Amino acid sequence: MMKWFKRKKGKDPEAETALQEEAPSLNESFEPVAAEIESEETEAAAAALSDVTGDYTTVVSPPPEWAVAETGPEEDEEAGAEAPRREKGRFFKRLRERLHKTREQFAQRVDRLVLGKKTIDLDILDELEEVLITSDLGVRTTQRLLDTVADKVKRKELSDPQKLREHLQNEILTILDVPAPPWDLAAHRPFVIMIIGVNGVGKTTTIGKLAHQLKSEGKNVMLAAGDTYRAAAVEQLVLWGKRVEVPVVHQKTGSDPSAVVFDALDAATSRQADLLIVDTAGRMHTKVNLMEELKKVQRVMRKKNPDLPHEVLLVLDASTGQNALSQARLFSEAMGVTGLILTKLDGTAKGGIVVAICDEMKVPVRYIGIGEGTDDLRPFDAEEFSRALF
């Protein structure tokens, strides 16, 4: 408020002094009025939103318009040209740092294997087999890679041991590069994503991070707390909703998850949400009743729309190694998994499991988690990942 009473040239000094003395009292008189206006606007917005979504939705007010910094057209153009390149470079550096344990387990052992060798012989291939299997690439993927190496050696296309590393990197890129069509958000509104996975893989946290990323891209996102079995799962998702400013449709713990999803679909449709992300129960994948409950949720969705859900993403903990591959098999058979999210890659030496899963399942990895931060869930890039492994 004081900026209104800054001294101007040519003004009467006595009048200026009087205005400055009066300014504190004006500030005091304006503050309760401003607080009252803000309170009334917040209450009105909350009432209007609860009329649409009911008692199940957590309402989060958007930031005020004055909090958004403005930049000139020249600054916007310059930032728009350089920012993506800088961001990509920063992410690759961070990805490579977070995969250092996997790189030590795999690429550095390959380097030691060929150190000082002049030809690729049977001894190298035997040792390479051990390196690949113990790096969690699995028997199937290991055999595929060994066959390509042996074939190239036989045809004399690969003889220099120092080029073995480059060959493996190219073959792994081929395996990881599973076609991943972009989500057609324009054709489906809301676009419904069903998140599945066992307890402990970071499923709810991943949903919060995914919602944050999609919201930062300008999407209108809603969440559905369909994991009504695990203690505090609903509360955890509601907290994430508040943190990333995304509404959450929920009921109390122990409620029917299908009913929650049904209400969430109605709420997302009425609010014209771009995406609805559905959390689900995550008991062990070997439990038959879990799979039946997930199938029931799918059936309820399809009563609304036969095409639902549009995407079924399976969250896997990369640090579990071959157990993650077992989960991928069973969930895919029961639920028709369309994409994968690999978490906890930053704390494990078993990152090679990503290659094994892509090789066997032929399902694209959509996102990878490389840290605890909100921005550490990133879209998967096969080329960047294969480079970071070596």
Side-chain angles (χ1 to χ4, degrees), residues 41-43 45-46 49 58-64 215 242 245-246:
E41 290 178 347
T42 303
E43 292 174 1
L49 192 52
T58 299
V59 180
V60 181
S61 300
K215 185 173 183 287
K242 291 180 179 179
E245 297 185 343
V246 168

Side-chain angles (χ1 to χ4, degrees), residues 213-235:
Q213 182 172 128
L214 294 170
K215 185 173 183 287
S216 66
E217 295 173 1
K219 305 296 189 298
N220 181 9
V221 184
M222 289 186 67
L223 306 179
D227 185 359
T228 59
Y229 293 104
R230 180 172 63 88
V234 173
E235 291 80 2

Side-chain angles (χ1 to χ4, degrees), residues 73-359:
E74 294 182 359
E75 294 176 353
D76 286 341
E77 185 176 350
E78 182 178 352
E82 295 295 331
R85 191 181 308 131
R86 289 198 300 267
E87 176 62 22
K88 188 172 183 178
R90 283 196 297 266
F91 171 65
F92 177 75
K93 181 180 179 181
R94 191 158 74 248
L95 175 63
R96 186 171 172 79
E97 290 172 352
R98 303 294 170 85
L99 288 177
H100 74 278
K101 290 184 179 180
T102 298
R103 192 165 55 254
E104 289 173 357
Q105 179 70 10
F106 175 49
Q108 293 182 12
R109 291 173 66 195
V110 172
D111 288 342
R112 290 194 293 270
L113 173 63
V114 300
L115 183 64
K117 303 293 177 62
K118 296 183 178 180
T119 60
I120 298 177
D121 53 22
L122 289 177
D123 290 338
I124 288 183
L125 292 179
D126 286 342
E127 292 183 44
L128 178 61
E129 181 179 15
E130 180 184 350
V131 170
L132 296 175
I133 290 179
T134 55
S135 298
D136 276 277
L137 272 77
V139 175
R140 173 193 172 109
T141 307
T142 295
Q143 191 60 53
R144 172 176 172 172
L145 293 173
L146 288 175
D147 286 346
T148 61
V149 172
D151 184 57
K152 284 186 175 292
V153 170
K154 183 178 180 181
R155 291 188 295 174
K156 298 183 179 180
E157 295 177 3
L158 180 64
S159 58
D160 185 357
Q162 304 307 317
K163 293 185 178 180
L164 180 60
R165 174 191 178 115
E166 180 182 349
H167 169 76
L168 290 174
Q169 182 178 344
N170 291 335
E171 289 298 318
I172 286 175
L173 173 58
T174 301
I175 294 172
L176 293 174
D177 196 16
V178 179
W183 294 336
D184 191 358
L185 304 185
H188 308 284
R189 193 171 186 184
F191 187 90
V192 180
I193 302 173
M194 187 177 183
I195 306 292
I196 60 177
V198 303
N199 285 336
V201 298
K203 184 159 49 69
T204 304
T205 300
T206 297
I207 291 172
K209 294 178 180 179
L210 179 59
H212 168 73
Q213 182 172 128
L214 294 170
K215 185 173 183 287
S216 66
E217 295 173 1
K219 305 296 189 298
N220 181 9
V221 184
M222 289 186 67
L223 306 179
D227 185 359
T228 59
Y229 293 104
R230 180 172 63 88
V234 173
E235 291 80 2
Q236 183 184 3
L237 191 65
V238 170
L239 286 175
W240 265 106
K242 291 180 179 179
R243 180 179 178 183
V244 301
E245 297 185 343
V246 168
V248 181
V249 178
H250 63 95
Q251 297 181 20
K252 63 182 181 180
T253 300
S255 300
D256 182 359
S258 299
V260 177
V261 174
F262 190 89
D263 290 340
L265 288 169
D266 283 341
T269 301
S270 64
R271 291 190 57 191
Q272 297 184 339
D274 295 314
L275 295 107
L276 173 65
I277 305 176
V278 179
D279 190 12
T280 59
R283 289 163 292 171
M284 286 306 295
H285 56 287
T286 53
K287 300 291 185 182
V288 175
N289 58 344
L290 166 63
M291 293 301 183
E292 292 304 317
E293 188 64 52
L294 293 177
K295 291 177 182 178
K296 179 183 175 183
V297 172
Q298 273 194 341
R299 289 196 300 270
V300 169
M301 287 185 183
R302 286 168 182 167
K303 287 181 180 179
K304 287 277 190 182
N305 185 336
D307 295 332
L308 297 182
H310 301 111
E311 191 84 4
V312 179
L313 297 182
L314 173 62
V315 181
L316 297 170
D317 180 351
S319 66
T320 60
Q322 292 298 310
N323 190 40
L325 180 56
S326 175
Q327 293 173 26
R329 292 191 191 111
L330 293 174
F331 274 106
S332 185
E333 291 173 3
M335 302 300 298
V337 174
T338 59
L340 302 171
I341 299 178
L342 274 296
T343 65
K344 306 181 185 180
L345 280 166
D346 55 315
T348 181
K350 300 181 178 183
I353 193 61
V354 180
V355 185
I357 292 174
C358 287
D359 185 32

Side-chain angles (χ1 to χ4, degrees), residues 363-383:
V363 173
V365 177
R366 290 287 186 176
Y367 292 89
I368 54 174
I370 57 169
E372 297 297 327
T374 306
D375 295 325
D376 284 333
L377 181 74
R378 305 297 300 227
F380 179 72
D381 185 307
E383 183 177 357

